[in-house]
Amino acid sequence: MGSARTSFARAAARAGVLGSIAAVVFLLAGLGTAVVDSLAGASVGGLRSGLAAASGIDGAARWQIRLSSDPAAQADAAASVLDRMIVPHGASWSRSVETAPVDATGPAGPFGAVLLADDGVADRSQLVSGSWPTEPQAVADADGALPATLHAEAAAALGLEPGDLVELGGGGRLLVVGTWLPLDPNEPVWFGEPAVATGLVDDGAGPFLVPEEALLDVPAATDVRWTALVDAGTMTPEVARTLRAALPNVEPALRAQEAIGADGLSALGALDATLDRLLAGLGAVRAIAPLPVLLLAFAGFAALARLAALLGASRRGETVLLRARGASATRLTRDAAAEVLVLGVPAATLGAAAGLALLVLLRPGEARDVAIAWVAASVAVVGALVLVAGQAWRESRRPVVRGSGDEVGRMPRTLVAGGVVLVAVVAAVSLWQFRLYGSPLVPTVSGALEIDPIAVLAPVLVLLALSLAAVGLSRPIDLLLERAAAARPGLTPALPMRQLARRAALYASASLVSILAVAGLTLAAAFAGAWQDFDRAAAAVTTGGDVQVAFAGRDVVRGDDPFALGDPFAGVEGITASGPVYRGEIRIGSDRSTIVAAPVAQLPAIAPGTHAAADGGALAESAATAGVEIPGGAVALEYVARVAAPPRTPGTVSISAWLLGDGGAATRLPAGSFAVESGGGTGRFELPDAAGLRFLGLEATLTGAQGADDVRVSLGDVALDPATDPAPDLQLDGELTVSSADPSDRAPLAAGADIGLPVTLGSALAARIQARVGDEFSFRILSGGAEVDAVVADIVPAVPAAGGDGVLADLGALEQYAFSADAGVPQYGQRWLATSDPAVVAAELERDRQVAMTVTTRQLASSAMLIGPAVTALWAGAVGALVFALIAIIALVAALRTARLGEVSVLRVLGMPARAQARARLAELSVTLGTAVVVGVAVGLLTALVTARELARAAVAGAPEVLPVGFAVDWLPWATALVAFLVAAVTIGAVASNAVRRDASRPARPEEER
């Protein structure tokens, strides 16, 4: 028979084992492709989704400076820098020019006009009426005036319509030729500007969209802005990293251009912070990614090693015969390699294709990387080739010794022990580094987080080292069990234990794969449980409520705020609680921080899961004393105003009443007016029909008194109608002075003056400014400019929506403080909602929204968008390892049947019934499997105890360091997978025991009896 026919015959005789090898290669290639490509696709998809969800300043970067006397040269210089530094890294940019409010006069009187030149407005806005200012008809209609298209909300507030003229203070006129509204004021290109969202800014209204040449001689500060955006749909992690690295260098490069100028150049926006957050999330994915990949690799190649040993053992007789007839070890090894290639290459190709097809089916829309499939298939084939060919080489060169086939796959014990010691040492070093950093992510010199290549391997290496140690201890334990069983009467306990002790190496590989698979499943369950709990807590701290609604264009209270006195979402089904929240930037000296002001007594209801004190905690007293509660029966408020001024002083003093709504949000309501010459009088205004009203004070504003100075206003005798008993203390600190230069002054409540604002600090901020409970410190609120003297009432690990560096105050107390300080009163810009179904509520709010707002759920703030696929991949890797363990068990029972066929006949001759032999074999397999499962669970839990919580923290990028990570296990999928594995393994054992019973029942061959 020729060598080719011999090779074919040998392969056909071992088709079952070779088919099993091909199946493992198929699974390795398929699962490897699916796991790695899903992780890569999730990284890209998560990055793009995160960038697409960024709104306002979070999705843009901006550089601005005063418009130069040579705008064209300034524009060219900036274009050369931006085209060179950010365009190659996936960003685009646009240029616009805007003025500060310009003194202007319209049909309704004087106001500040904000002028804007931006060629891109028409593409991202809708024309409400009229035409754009650059259209020929608009230019023709202007007739010497400047054509301008005005924001529709500003037009309504100013009483302007197309065709109206606006006189500018420095000369010149604007002709309103149309009105416009942004399609989405939350788009990053608008940069979150209040004027775009509402049409109003401090001391002004607009924007009036005009040609740029109209802004050259405007008597107001004029800034040119370059706004950079990213195309979320084409962004990749590599491009994002290069863009993030380039952004800090843009400002110095612009400053170096002489044509741009350097005085006043500033860099704004939070695109860099958004990229930092998303790239940190991608780093977290990379920290988790090795777990499923290595778990699959170890389990898969261990199963291949078991099958290679089985193939070599089954061919031992023919190998000896072929060697005796002159076949070389090289030829036999080459034949084994050819078998692997013939079967493995198609199997790996089909497996990789199946993995890609599964991803396309389960996760449509994601880009797939064919190169990953080729790498996974190649690794599977090469691994199988090395293991099978290596085993064939060893078998063909080993001496023929009686009984040598009893322990298939046995290696020199010193080599095995050395390998185990090496793995243990490497695992110890990796775990030490992992625990030293507390994470597989380590900060670089630039502050970015990178993967430590040693620490990232710690979980799997510890898993492998403990599994090897457990298998190494099995032999002495089996010997002890054998001795204990031998002392008992009967064959059934003694025979299985003796076989386990004698054939420890035969059982070892299947036990190792099973222990590793069950341990990997347990580690996956522990990581998933810890991550889910920690991510839930971190998302609660990030968003506050189950749903967070952020309104655009709200900064300080300027007038009647309809949102302050009622819940705008009261009619939305599914919302169980709702409350107003102000979140803004503050300065403590030169340090940046964030303040969150919310109704502290309502925090547990509107922000469940944030561990807020049920009664307001240390801030409860400040909440209770914010303003004076107006009894429910009162319908009006009366007061007396006295006005004193030099004779013939023109103008009017308008009185406004400041109230707090139920959640502490402030509003300013008109309460009457008096001519200066009248000397004042009695004022009365009807109270709004709203629950929980509280009175802050009154404000006097002088209008129409050009050049007037030292107008004195006295406000007092405040009373409710009808009077209540007891009457609330409404006494005011009401001696005011107004003038044309400083036209407004406030009369706060006399009680509560000069009292510091109680606040709660995040622990990281408290440590940074070295503050303790009872200490005093000061900060400035950027919106409105209020200078606040605060008292530390409490210190907590993290402030909702601000983290460990945040400041928490009661909303009503903060509003009262800013009002009393005669500063801008912060206007709440968020609404926190509690609901059992955030996704449904968010969808309804988006569908029915009538104002500019951004809706964020805890799910959107969760790391699940990036880490969820990694956790799924980890579960898939653990389940794949269980499948490989089942294949190893199948190979084990096949090897046992081949190696112990003669034993069956001997035992039958000695009088042991077939059923007893079947029970004994089942007992061997049951003890092996049961021990492997128990040891695997223990190994997994031990590994999880030293790594799972650190991995969970690393998986949630940006979570406050002070937020604790608990130990938890996701029991349901763990139990489901483990039960399925046990059922399959028991089925294999039952089939194997039935095979033993059949072998013991058939007549013995003469050679067996001998």
Side-chain angles (χ1 to χ4, degrees):
M1 183 182 291
S3 60
R5 294 180 61 189
T6 301
S7 300
F8 180 78
R10 294 183 73 209
R14 310 299 173 195
V17 180
L18 291 173
S20 298
I21 292 174
V24 174
V25 171
F26 174 88
L27 290 173
L28 265 178
L31 289 173
T33 297
V35 167
V36 177
D37 203 2
S38 68
L39 291 172
S43 296
V44 175
L47 173 65
R48 292 174 178 176
S49 298
L51 289 173
S55 61
I57 64 172
D58 292 333
R62 174 175 283 183
W63 301 271
Q64 70 180 37
I65 195 172
R66 290 293 173 87
L67 187 66
S68 76
S69 57
D70 189 350
Q74 188 183 43
D76 290 342
S80 67
V81 171
L82 297 174
D83 287 343
R84 182 180 75 254
M85 298 193 68
I86 66 171
V87 172
H89 304 305
S92 60
W93 60 273
S94 60
R95 179 178 176 274
S96 61
V97 182
E98 187 177 73
T99 70
V102 180
D103 290 338
T105 304
F111 66 97
V114 177
L115 310 183
L116 172 67
D118 187 342
D119 294 336
V121 168
D123 297 329
R124 51 184 185 268
S125 306
Q126 60 176 332
L127 193 64
V128 177
S129 63
S131 60
W132 296 109
T134 54
E135 293 181 9
Q137 186 60 46
V139 176
D141 292 343
D143 190 25
L146 294 174
T149 303
L150 176 60
H151 192 290
E153 297 290 343
L158 297 173
L160 294 174
E161 297 178 349
D164 287 343
L165 285 172
V166 174
E167 300 288 340
L168 298 180
R173 295 180 302 166
L174 299 177
L175 174 67
V176 179
V177 297
T179 58
W180 63 279
L181 282 175
L183 294 174
D184 183 2
N186 294 314
E187 280 190 79
V189 69
W190 295 116
F191 213 65
E193 295 183 57
V196 173
T198 65
L200 301 174
V201 293
D202 285 337
D203 303 323
F208 287 82
L209 191 62
V210 298
E212 183 175 340
E213 54 269 18
L215 303 180
L216 298 180
D217 299 320
V218 170
T222 303
D223 291 333
V224 57
R225 301 97 54 91
W226 296 274
T227 305
L229 307 171
V230 294
D231 182 2
T234 60
M235 186 58 64
T236 64
E238 294 74 19
V239 173
R241 290 187 186 95
T242 59
L243 177 61
R244 177 62 185 91
L247 285 175
N249 301 322
V250 174
E251 182 185 358
L254 290 172
R255 199 178 294 275
Q257 297 290 319
E258 185 176 348
I260 294 177
D263 186 24
L265 179 65
S266 58
L268 307 171
L271 178 60
D272 53 350
T274 299
L275 288 173
D276 283 339
R277 175 175 56 84
L278 293 173
L279 290 174
L282 296 184
V285 173
R286 291 162 54 207
I288 307 303
L291 289 180
V293 176
L294 293 177
L295 189 60
L296 277 175
F298 284 135
F301 289 130
L304 279 174
R306 177 68 261 170
L307 290 171
L310 176 61
L311 180 63
S314 64
R315 286 177 166 176
R316 183 163 294 120
E318 63 191 55
T319 298
V320 172
L321 180 61
L322 289 173
R323 288 282 285 152
R325 293 188 175 183
S328 66
T330 302
R331 176 199 155 185
L332 296 177
T333 303
R334 185 177 65 245
D335 289 347
E339 291 169 349
V340 172
L341 291 175
V342 169
L343 294 175
V345 170
T349 303
L350 291 175
L356 287 176
L358 182 65
L359 288 179
V360 170
L361 180 65
L362 296 179
R363 303 180 65 173
E366 285 187 0
R368 306 265 71 93
D369 191 347
V370 179
I372 292 176
W374 283 114
V375 171
S378 301
V379 170
V381 171
V382 171
L385 183 66
V386 170
L387 290 171
V388 175
Q391 184 67 27
W393 173 263
R394 288 183 58 248
E395 290 290 341
S396 63
R397 294 186 62 85
R398 69 186 298 171
V400 180
V401 179
R402 181 179 296 274
S404 64
D406 289 347
E407 295 191 359
V408 180
R410 182 174 57 190
M411 299 177 65
R413 292 180 181 177
T414 54
L415 181 60
V416 174
V420 172
V421 170
L422 178 62
V423 171
V425 170
V426 173
V429 172
S430 180
L431 180 62
W432 173 80
Q433 193 140 326
F434 182 91
R435 301 288 294 179
L436 176 66
Y437 297 138
S439 167
L441 300 173
V442 295
T444 62
V445 176
S446 64
L449 292 176
E450 292 293 341
I451 299 295
D452 184 276
I454 297 176
V456 75
L457 300 177
V460 176
L461 288 178
V462 171
L463 210 66
L464 180 60
L466 292 177
S467 300
L468 289 171
V471 172
L473 292 173
S474 65
R475 187 177 184 87
I477 292 174
D478 289 342
L479 290 173
L480 292 175
L481 292 175
E482 178 192 2
R483 292 178 183 177
R488 299 182 60 184
L491 279 175
T492 301
L495 182 61
M497 294 302 100
R498 178 164 293 182
Q499 291 296 336
L500 287 175
R502 288 181 56 203
R503 303 177 187 274
L506 192 62
Y507 287 95
S509 56
S511 295
L512 175 62
V513 182
S514 299
I515 291 172
L516 193 60
V518 174
L521 180 70
T522 305
L523 176 60
F527 166 71
W531 166 71
Q532 288 167 2
D533 287 354
F534 184 61
D535 180 67
R536 197 176 298 117
V541 169
T542 300
T543 62
D546 293 319
V547 178
Q548 180 195 94
V549 180
F551 300 99
R554 294 171 65 88
D555 49 6
V556 294
V557 179
R558 296 186 178 87
D560 183 5
D561 183 2
F563 289 173
L565 302 181
D567 183 358
F569 308 121
V572 178
E573 186 176 355
I575 297 177
T576 58
S578 170
V581 178
Y582 170 77
R583 183 179 184 276
E585 191 173 348
I586 62 174
R587 291 288 188 274
I588 305 174
S590 59
D591 291 341
R592 292 184 178 184
S593 188
T594 300
I595 187 170
V596 173
V600 293
Q602 299 178 23
L603 266 183
I606 66 175
T610 58
H611 306 291
D615 57 355
L619 303 181
E621 184 178 355
S622 67
T625 57
V628 174
E629 184 177 358
I630 297 178
V635 297
L637 186 145
E638 298 176 345
Y639 62 92
V640 174
R642 299 177 180 84
V643 181
R648 293 185 297 278
T649 299
T652 301
V653 174
S654 299
I655 307 300
S656 301
W658 284 78
L659 302 175
L660 296 179
D662 183 43
T667 187
R668 178 189 182 200
L669 302 174
S673 60
F674 305 91
V676 173
E677 294 180 346
S678 70
T682 300
R684 173 189 172 93
F685 79 99
E686 301 294 323
L687 291 169
D689 183 14
L693 290 178
R694 303 181 76 88
F695 179 63
L696 287 183
L698 299 176
E699 180 177 11
T701 303
L702 179 65
T703 59
Q706 188 70 26
D709 192 17
D710 195 26
V711 176
R712 299 182 180 274
V713 180
S714 177
L715 299 174
D717 298 334
V718 181
L720 297 176
D721 182 23
T724 60
D725 187 19
D729 183 5
L730 301 178
Q731 182 178 354
L732 301 178
D733 184 5
E735 300 301 322
L736 313 178
T737 301
V738 295
S739 65
S740 59
D742 188 8
S744 294
D745 200 2
R746 293 175 184 163
L749 293 165
D754 301 326
I755 297 178
L757 177 69
V759 298
T760 294
L761 299 184
S763 57
L765 177 61
R768 179 152 54 91
I769 66 174
Q770 299 180 345
R772 294 180 297 180
V773 174
D775 288 352
E776 298 180 356
F777 72 103
S778 298
F779 63 85
R780 179 170 59 89
I781 304 175
L782 296 194
S783 294
E787 298 283 349
V788 180
D789 293 325
V791 178
V792 180
D794 197 7
I795 297 174
V796 296
V799 172
D805 275 320
V807 177
L808 175 66
D810 178 73
L811 178 60
L814 179 67
E815 305 281 60
Q816 181 182 36
Y817 193 100
F819 173 81
S820 300
D822 207 21
V825 177
Q827 185 177 48
Y828 86 85
Q830 295 183 1
R831 196 95 192 174
W832 290 359
L833 315 177
T835 174
S836 59
D837 198 342
V840 172
V841 169
E844 185 172 351
L845 294 178
E846 290 281 8
R847 182 174 58 251
D848 298 336
R849 69 175 181 173
Q850 299 178 355
V851 296
M853 64 185 189
T854 302
V855 181
T856 304
T857 65
R858 288 185 180 176
Q859 288 88 337
L860 292 177
S862 166
S863 63
M865 181 173 59
L866 288 170
I867 302 300
V871 176
T872 302
L874 182 56
W875 283 115
V879 171
L882 291 175
V883 173
F884 292 136
L886 291 174
I887 294 174
I889 293 171
I890 293 173
L892 170 65
V893 299
L896 288 173
R897 186 180 185 190
T898 302
R900 297 169 62 183
L901 189 60
E903 172 192 305
V904 171
S905 299
V906 172
L907 291 174
R908 185 183 61 234
V909 171
L910 293 176
M912 189 173 185
R915 291 185 181 277
Q917 292 193 52
R919 287 195 300 270
R921 186 68 58 85
L922 183 60
E924 294 175 26
L925 295 174
S926 299
V927 170
T928 301
L929 177 64
T931 303
V933 169
V934 172
V935 171
V937 172
V939 167
L941 287 175
L942 186 57
T943 305
L945 283 172
V946 296
T947 61
R949 283 169 292 190
E950 289 76 7
L951 286 173
R953 180 176 293 281
V956 184
E961 288 294 327
V962 294
L963 204 62
V965 185
F967 186 82
V969 178
D970 194 356
W971 293 109
L972 182 59
W974 176 85
T976 302
L978 188 59
V979 168
F981 170 72
L982 290 174
V983 169
V986 169
T987 302
I988 294 170
V991 171
S993 66
N994 285 333
V996 171
R997 184 178 58 82
R998 288 195 303 271
D999 291 340
S1001 299
R1002 67 176 175 80
R1005 294 191 297 269
E1007 61 271 18
E1008 291 175 345
E1009 292 180 349
R1010 292 195 298 269

